[in-house]
Amino acid sequence: MITFDKVTKLYDDRTKAVDQLDLHIQENEFFVLIGPSGCGKTTTLKMINRLIDVSEGNIFIGDKKVTDYDIHELRWNIGYVLQQIALFPHMTIAENIAVVPELKKWSKKKMHDRIDELLEMVGLDPAVYRDRKPAELSGGQQQRIGVARALAADPRIILMDEPFSALDPISREKLQNDMLHLKRTINKTVVFVTHDIREALKLGDRICIMKEGKALQVGTPDDILHKPVNPFVRDFVGAHRQDERIDLESFVLPLDGTAVSHRLSADASLAEVLEKLSQHEKILIEKDGKSIGLIDRQTVIEYMANRLNERGREHE
Ligand code: ADP
Ligand code: MG
């Protein structure tokens, strides 16, 4: 769907922001670009809709180079969501969402229906919000409008540049969950930039880890977590480790009749497990409301030690 063929971006001051980048993003894929600040994520994204021109190499959408599309057509057919979306303050929410449909000269009826559909899709009641002004919405709600606006004219591709990073953790989590839901219900190719590895692992079908304008690794969340290609990727993903899930079910001890009053769900994270075990010797593990076994510190440490060995072998 979107192909980068040895793409380089050299800014006027000779900064090499993107360096011989090859990427192939598939149709309907949720593709995440991640890496430290300044590694070239925004530049990569903006070259897709030609907000920035490439210096060398080519970008294709389908079989056609982006430079061969009419630039307005290209932009209208690619949704774009920024960290702090700029809604037009004097226009209503409905008008803000309908900018591209209006440019495309949709009928009033079609636009009206689409606005309601989109507001519902992003979790805002159309009856309440369609006639409000942006200033009457919270930051999280405004970002939702940004997502709705990007989806408005049903583009095939959506580019998102750290769309949730300015939000408080709760709004952020809500929007991420909405994105997960949207991802399952609409067929879109999404290129999503973040510097938050948890967000990347949660949302991405595939993740590209960038450093200094290059793609170090492209892979599924599982690949990135368990088969990092080098120490940089391993450390980058390592920030996530503390919160990793552990497969409690696979090593619980059988229930032995001792009364244990401390419980955890079978899908608890490693951090939660270790925290509980620092206070209590044994913990009862529950799944779907039923007790499935016990764990103690020893069993968890053994499990982790085995995992380390497995990982060590993978990296040899
Ligand atoms: P990211 O989004 O990963 O933080 P950017 O793509 O914004 O990275 O920037 C990549 C590199 O290019 C950085 O070193 C940045 O300072 C530089 N850069 C970005 N925009 C410009 C510009 N207009 N002129 C010169 N250098 C730029
Ligand atoms: Mg950026």
Side-chain angles (χ1 to χ4, degrees), residues 2-8 20-24 54 56-60 65:
I2 305 173
T3 307
F4 279 67
D5 181 20
K6 298 207 172 40
V7 172
T8 294
Q20 298 267 315
L21 184 66
D22 287 320
L23 284 180
H24 188 69
V54 307
E56 287 164 34
N58 286 299
I59 300 173
F60 297 84
K65 287 182 194 170

Side-chain angles (χ1 to χ4, degrees), residues 11-13 15-17 35-44 161-162 193:
Y11 282 110
D12 292 342
D13 64 357
T15 305
K16 199 183 259 185
S37 176
C39 72
K41 304 180 294 294
T42 295
T43 303
T44 301
D161 197 349
E162 310 210 17
V193 167

Side-chain angles (χ1 to χ4, degrees), residues 126-148:
V128 177
Y129 291 98
R130 63 178 0 266
D131 296 322
R132 287 203 182 170
K133 294 281 169 61
E136 298 169 75
L137 269 58
S138 70
Q141 290 170 335
Q142 291 191 30
Q143 278 312 96
R144 283 167 198 271
I145 302 304
V147 174

